[in-house]
Amino acid sequence: MNPRIMIVEDERIVALDLKHSLEFLGYQAVGVHASGEDAIAHIPTQQPDLVLMDINLGPGMDGTEAALVINAEHKVPIVFLTAYAEEKTLSRAERSMPYGYLLKPYELRELDATLRMALARRQAELEVEHAEERLRLAMDAAALGVWEWDPQSDDFQWQGHLEGILGGRPRFLRGEQDAFLDFIHEEDRPAVAAQLAENDVVSSTVRMRQPDGSLGWIELYAKRYAEHDRTRVIGVVRDVTERHRNEERLRQANVVFQTTGEGVLITDPQHRVIATNPAFSLLTGYAAEDIYGFDPDNFLHARRHSDHFYPRLLETRQGYWHGEVTCLRRDGTPFPAWEHVCAVRDERGELRNFIITFSDISEIRQAEEQINHLAYHDALTGLGNRHQLAARLDTELERAQLSRQPVAVMFIDLDGFKLVNDTLGHAAGDILLQTVARRIKGSLRRTDIAIRLGGDEFVVIVPDARRLEDYAALAEKLLEAVREVIELRDERLSISASIGIAVFPDNGTDSQTLLKSADNAMYDAKMRGRNRVAFYSPDMAERAHERMAMEQGLMQALKTDALHLHYQPVISLADGKLVGVEALLRWHHPELGQVPPARFIPVAEESGLIDRIGAWVLRQACRQALAWQQAGHPPLRMAVNVSVRQLAQDHLVENVAAVLAETGLAPECLELEITETAIQSIEHSRERLRQLKALGVMLAIDDFGTGFSSLSLLKHLPIDRIKIDRSFVMGLPDDGNDAAITQAIIALAQNLKMALTAEGIESPEQLTFLQRQGVEDAQGYLFSRPQPPQALESLLHTRQWQSMQ
Ligand SMILES: Nc1nc2c(ncn2[C@@H]2O[C@H](COP(=O)(O)O[C@H]3[C@@H](O)[C@H](n4cnc5c(=O)[nH]c(N)nc54)O[C@@H]3COP(=O)(O)O)[C@@H](O)[C@H]2O)c(=O)[nH]1
């Protein structure tokens, strides 16, 4: 294309001539204008490559002024064409940086040469401008800051993003190297300064203070250029804070990946493993190479989450799942794991990876199991505890309600456990409880539930439907199992139990009522002599009413002196002599008549009235013993019964001492009869017996043979006498069992050097048998029934039982 030339000339003829010359030379004359203003106005539309400008243009702007505007605003090169060349005109023209200055008249080849040179220069300038523009845009795109430092003058020039990167503070704009270095972190600054000063090339990543005070990172590249006698350093700066932070995060993530205790698997979108961490190998036993390319569902997960697990994962908005799974180690052993699965997407939302992290939670599960076990089991015996009882019984009752089937609850209480604990120590007590628990458990079916409520109380739930006879048979089996001899270190002892049974729904429809009923039944079994089973029955409630009425009556009797004592003689079997009496309480009720002690003593015990009644009996008996002495009869042994509750009283010893002191009876004349079961069931009974013994009184075990009769326990107690229970004497001499037991008791007493009294002798045969076995003393209807004191006068005088004279 021909170069486009605009002509600015106020003389029309000259302008036309010039136009023709230009066209002759092959240029395109795009406009001819007579004034500077007109020329400026047409530049945008005519778009000349060059303006040929006359300097003197008549009125208005002259050529140099118009050239200044064209140069500044349109960057079109100007060539002046004038007849003037004086200094003043030349310096005005110079200011607009013209590309040529032609003096009229000129020759055509001069015009052509000037125009071609001007256009060539413009072309070169345009190329430089484009190159600069490209560089500027490239710097902008790369967010680079470019700087140049002249060490001689300390002049510091910059371009691009440098101010944006460094925050562009005013001091920096002063253009000194030190001001530039100020932006660099003080610890990195000396190294950068030294590099700038000494090296030809600088390349480092350094920290800098960002305008908000936070720490940023820049990459700094520079090179020293020495040209002739001039040296300069030119460099670029780039803000790499974000990249550095990302790298730091990556480094941290890598450390986490390598060192975390959680196993990590990274898969591609098709679930093929592409990376694992060391913890994964530790947890599973797989080396990384073993599983690259495999789907974790095919080697790690014991059960597939489901075939749709991963697709579903992709559908979830967060692309995240966590939960418990069972994983498999390389050797095939399973372990519970807590697993997180996370989908990783790129910036376009494309799925790139799945990250699976998991931890072995076996220990947590074990601890939970242990805690659960502790919460629901008795630590000593391993049986269920009260919490389990509450939970299981409720469940079983709900089930039974639906199936309309019965459920039995058995309440088991050991007889005399406290004595074992007191006498042989808690360690022995613990072994006993563990043994009993084992035996209970061993006697049950898998579906039955054994609970230790605490102390020596156990509960058995029998959930499957059985007949009452079956429940009774099971309870008997339990009694038998408990009763078997237990080896406690050097001791061998046997302990019995009392069992109460209540059955859903007849004896209670909720757990509390059922337990209460079973407890009542157990109490009934105890009352009826222990070592037995009792089913709950509604008349237990009736008996409770009767007990209340009797309690009222007893209170009244205490006030109205309706209580009195009878005395039953004790005879020496060696010579028939009267050696003592047993004081036995009698109550004449105004309506009921004579009430047997077997009925009212338990009521007095339960209500606590026995404290006052017992104290009254003791005082009354001691007074009577002394009264007989004062009447001239030689001292007799006065036996007084002491009940369970009395024995449990802390002040029993004080009471006995006070009565002895008050009445003046010699302590050795008083014999306290304590039942074997009372000794067994009271805590610290051994200590209590010691204190009583220390008063000087005699101690006898009443009803011997009906409790657990443990030789090992007996030898630890300060007992003077054993009274063979009437129930054994009754079958003598013909009943083999009774004879054997009686003989065993006699042998035991002789071994332990204890005196013996046989009670309940009713026949001469019994007497003969016992005499032959060497029993010292005896009492029973054969000699005399218990009688009021006056009725004993003749016997007291003779002191001899007639038949044995
Ligand atoms: N804590 C207290 N208990 C007492 C007191 N008084 C009596 N009791 C206890 O009551 C139970 C029944 O006593 P009881 O009805 O008086 O019967 C006694 C005797 O009458 C009876 N006995 C005596 N010999 C015979 C006989 O040959 N045959 C026969 N069928 N019964 C006979 O035995 C009872 C005496 O027993 P024991 O006390 O075991 O020696 C009874 O347990 C009394 O202990 C009291 O004041 N306090």
Side-chain angles (χ1 to χ4, degrees):
M1 254 227 303
N2 296 340
R4 297 160 65 85
I5 311 292
M6 176 186 270
I7 301 166
V8 187
E9 175 60 68
D10 57 346
E11 283 181 42
R12 192 161 170 69
I13 300 289
V14 176
L16 279 176
D17 180 49
L18 185 55
K19 184 173 179 271
H20 287 139
S21 301
L22 287 173
E23 282 168 358
F24 174 76
L25 290 170
Y27 297 96
Q28 193 185 342
V30 291
V32 178
H33 303 283
S35 73
E37 290 86 343
D38 198 25
I40 292 167
H42 283 87
I43 295 269
T45 51
Q46 294 175 348
Q47 297 195 345
D49 295 321
L50 187 144
V51 177
L52 263 177
M53 177 78 77
D54 185 15
I55 289 183
N56 288 324
L57 291 175
M61 260 182 177
D62 79 352
T64 60
E65 286 165 345
L68 273 174
V69 175
I70 290 170
N71 189 27
E73 290 180 8
H74 302 289
K75 299 237 181 302
V76 179
I78 307 286
V79 170
F80 287 115
L81 190 64
T82 180
Y84 305 95
E86 84 280 2
E87 181 54 37
K88 197 177 158 200
T89 307
L90 281 175
S91 15
R92 268 175 49 219
E94 232 174 38
R95 291 215 307 274
S96 63
M97 316 273 281
Y99 281 60
Y101 199 93
L102 260 182
L103 277 175
K104 296 177 188 171
Y106 53 82
E107 288 187 19
L108 267 186
R109 53 196 179 107
E110 277 179 288
L111 174 65
D112 187 33
T114 304
L115 288 178
R116 280 173 65 179
M117 291 310 112
L119 285 168
R121 184 182 143 205
R122 179 61 190 150
Q123 186 55 39
E125 278 178 0
L126 274 178
E127 277 168 23
V128 169
E129 266 173 33
H130 282 145
E132 278 180 353
E133 175 72 356
R134 253 199 316 276
L135 182 65
R136 194 182 59 72
L137 291 176
M139 282 193 305
D140 190 50
L144 289 174
V146 179
W147 53 271
E148 179 180 346
W149 172 50
D150 182 344
Q152 289 84 34
S153 62
D154 198 21
D155 184 30
F156 200 89
Q157 298 290 325
W158 66 92
Q159 215 180 333
H161 284 252
L162 194 68
E163 281 179 45
I165 292 169
L166 302 182
R169 293 183 201 166
R171 187 166 141 60
F172 173 71
L173 299 179
R174 287 215 315 267
E176 296 160 4
Q177 189 218 358
D178 281 354
F180 169 67
L181 288 176
D182 270 359
F183 286 92
I184 293 169
H185 190 276
E186 53 271 23
E187 287 170 18
D188 298 343
R189 204 178 298 152
V192 173
Q195 278 192 39
L196 282 177
E198 292 162 19
N199 295 353
D200 284 344
V201 177
V202 174
S203 165
S204 48
T205 304
V206 293
R207 290 166 292 174
M208 64 158 192
R209 290 261 169 243
Q210 294 191 315
D212 64 358
S214 64
L215 213 58
W217 289 84
I218 52 171
E219 262 176 8
L220 189 64
Y221 300 101
K223 189 164 180 185
R224 180 188 301 276
Y225 293 93
E227 290 157 350
H228 313 299
D229 56 345
R230 191 167 166 233
T231 300
R232 56 195 179 137
V233 180
I234 295 180
V236 290
V237 167
R238 191 139 74 109
D239 186 346
V240 290
T241 306
E242 202 46 46
R243 194 186 79 199
H244 188 86
R245 283 184 188 148
N246 286 341
E247 283 170 2
E248 197 134 283
R249 277 195 283 268
L250 271 177
R251 263 195 303 280
Q252 290 161 355
N254 190 44
V255 172
V256 173
F257 183 74
Q258 295 296 334
T259 59
T260 180
E262 290 200 323
V264 183
L265 280 178
I266 303 176
T267 75
D268 64 13
Q270 286 71 45
H271 321 145
R272 292 178 298 229
V273 174
I274 55 171
T276 67
N277 70 341
F280 171 81
S281 299
L282 264 179
L283 289 173
T284 63
Y286 283 109
E289 321 70 81
D290 297 342
I291 46 136
Y292 282 151
F294 288 97
D295 185 332
D297 262 3
N298 294 335
F299 65 90
L300 181 65
H301 297 127
R303 59 176 168 74
R304 303 176 74 90
H305 302 309
S306 86
D307 285 341
H308 303 297
F309 173 71
Y310 285 110
R312 237 196 12 231
L313 183 81
L314 292 179
E315 284 160 22
T316 59
R317 270 181 55 209
Q318 309 91 327
Y320 181 76
W321 178 89
H322 65 99
E324 189 174 334
V325 292
T326 301
C327 288
L328 291 174
R329 296 190 186 88
R330 189 182 186 166
D331 62 9
T333 52
F335 64 97
W338 188 257
E339 190 172 273
H340 293 252
V341 184
C342 181
V344 181
R345 295 174 184 280
D346 63 17
E347 54 284 356
R348 293 194 304 279
E350 294 287 319
L351 178 68
R352 304 308 303 260
N353 304 99
F354 285 107
I355 298 183
I356 301 171
T357 57
F358 64 92
S359 45
D360 182 346
I361 53 169
S362 313
E363 279 179 18
I364 296 173
R365 286 284 167 270
Q366 272 165 18
E368 273 174 8
E369 268 167 35
Q370 221 171 338
I371 290 167
N372 260 341
H373 192 270
L374 287 177
Y376 284 93
H377 289 84
D378 170 50
L380 179 68
T381 61
L383 298 185
N385 62 10
R386 304 183 163 269
H387 299 297
Q388 190 178 133
L389 173 66
R392 297 291 300 270
L393 189 52
D394 282 346
T395 314
E396 294 306 334
L397 292 187
E398 271 172 36
R399 214 197 309 261
Q401 215 127 29
L402 291 172
S403 61
R404 298 177 180 276
Q405 299 282 6
V407 171
V409 173
M410 298 185 180
F411 204 110
I412 306 171
D413 189 280
L414 300 184
D415 302 329
F417 172 71
K418 288 185 182 70
L419 182 64
V420 177
N421 238 3
D422 287 352
T423 313
L424 302 181
H426 287 267
D430 285 353
I431 296 173
L432 187 142
L433 288 172
Q434 286 165 336
T435 312
V436 167
R438 238 186 346 266
R439 290 179 184 174
I440 290 177
K441 187 97 189 137
S443 310
L444 300 178
R445 287 189 193 168
R446 215 172 45 80
T447 46
D448 301 336
I449 300 154
I451 302 285
R452 179 180 167 228
L453 270 188
D456 58 348
E457 290 177 341
F458 298 83
V459 169
V460 168
I461 305 171
V462 187
D464 48 344
R466 296 187 210 176
R467 296 169 308 154
L468 285 186
E469 306 88 277
D470 298 332
Y471 294 135
L474 172 59
E476 287 296 345
K477 185 175 163 193
L478 288 170
L479 283 187
E480 211 173 297
V482 171
R483 248 190 340 253
E484 266 177 41
V485 170
I486 296 174
E487 309 264 353
L488 289 177
R489 300 195 189 108
D490 302 337
E491 317 279 356
R492 279 167 62 83
L493 66 85
S494 160
I495 193 162
S496 62
S498 301
I499 302 182
I501 307 175
V503 182
F504 167 89
D506 297 348
N507 308 145
T509 49
D510 61 275
S511 53
Q512 285 209 344
T513 315
L514 257 187
L515 277 170
K516 184 85 204 130
S517 302
D519 188 18
N520 279 338
M522 184 278 292
Y523 179 77
D524 193 61
K526 283 243 188 253
M527 287 294 104
R528 287 195 288 114
R530 305 169 157 222
N531 185 27
R532 66 192 65 219
V533 178
F535 276 89
Y536 177 80
S537 67
D539 69 324
M540 284 174 187
E542 257 171 54
R543 284 209 291 276
H545 275 105
E546 192 191 295
R547 271 204 298 274
M548 264 169 64
M550 203 170 283
E551 195 181 314
Q552 303 289 331
L554 270 176
M555 280 190 340
Q556 204 57 27
L558 265 171
K559 282 185 205 150
T560 56
D561 287 338
L563 298 175
H564 45 274
L565 291 180
H566 281 188
Y567 298 90
Q568 185 175 38
V570 180
I571 307 295
S572 161
L573 293 189
D575 51 12
K577 290 235 180 294
L578 175 71
V579 286
V581 290
E582 178 182 356
L584 292 159
L585 187 59
R586 296 292 177 259
W587 175 28
H588 187 82
H589 190 277
E591 287 142 34
L592 301 173
Q594 204 64 31
V595 185
R599 262 181 80 193
F600 71 80
I601 293 283
V603 178
E605 285 249 347
E606 260 179 71
S607 62
L609 280 172
I610 196 74
D611 293 355
R612 287 163 63 195
I613 294 174
W616 178 86
V617 170
L618 183 68
R619 183 170 290 106
Q620 200 60 23
C622 289
R623 277 184 188 156
Q624 184 60 61
L626 203 75
W628 278 326
Q629 284 179 26
Q630 285 165 350
H633 302 298
L636 282 174
R637 201 167 65 227
M638 173 61 76
V640 175
N641 288 285
V642 172
S643 76
V644 185
R645 195 180 158 115
Q646 276 176 287
L647 189 67
Q649 287 170 356
D650 286 338
H651 53 266
L652 173 70
V653 182
E654 275 169 43
N655 274 359
V656 174
V659 168
L660 288 173
E662 178 195 312
T663 57
L665 184 70
E668 63 274 15
C669 292
L670 178 63
E671 184 168 85
L672 300 178
E673 289 189 8
I674 299 155
T675 60
E676 198 180 1
T677 46
I679 294 172
Q680 288 165 12
S681 52
I682 286 164
E683 262 180 87
H684 315 305
S685 59
R686 187 163 78 140
E687 186 53 30
R688 187 69 30 88
L689 293 179
R690 284 227 178 87
Q691 290 163 345
L692 287 171
K693 191 69 210 144
L695 295 178
V697 298
M698 310 297 279
L699 296 178
I701 292 193
D702 204 0
D703 307 338
F704 192 80
T706 56
F708 57 80
S709 312
S710 160
L711 171 63
S712 47
L713 290 179
L714 200 59
K715 73 182 178 198
H716 294 288
L717 301 175
I719 299 295
D720 303 292
R721 176 181 301 277
I722 288 176
K723 289 187 81 176
I724 303 169
D725 190 62
R726 181 156 55 87
S727 57
F728 303 121
V729 175
M730 219 149 52
L732 297 178
D734 302 326
D735 186 300
N737 276 342
D738 286 347
I741 293 170
T742 307
Q743 280 167 328
I745 296 172
I746 293 166
L748 177 72
Q750 285 166 349
N751 264 320
L752 295 173
K753 310 227 171 339
M754 290 176 184
L756 265 172
T757 299
E759 55 184 7
I761 300 173
E762 292 183 357
S763 69
E765 293 74 19
Q766 291 166 343
L767 174 64
T768 313
F769 180 89
L770 291 163
Q771 263 179 323
R772 285 204 186 122
Q773 296 300 323
V775 173
E776 294 114 0
D777 297 341
Q779 62 187 95
Y781 292 173
L782 180 68
F783 308 106
S784 164
R785 286 183 177 258
Q787 300 187 47
Q790 313 79 330
L792 286 178
E793 283 301 323
S794 66
L795 185 60
L796 283 166
H797 278 295
T798 57
R799 291 184 66 91
Q800 179 73 40
W801 183 56
Q802 301 306 319
S803 311
M804 287 181 68
Q805 274 184 329

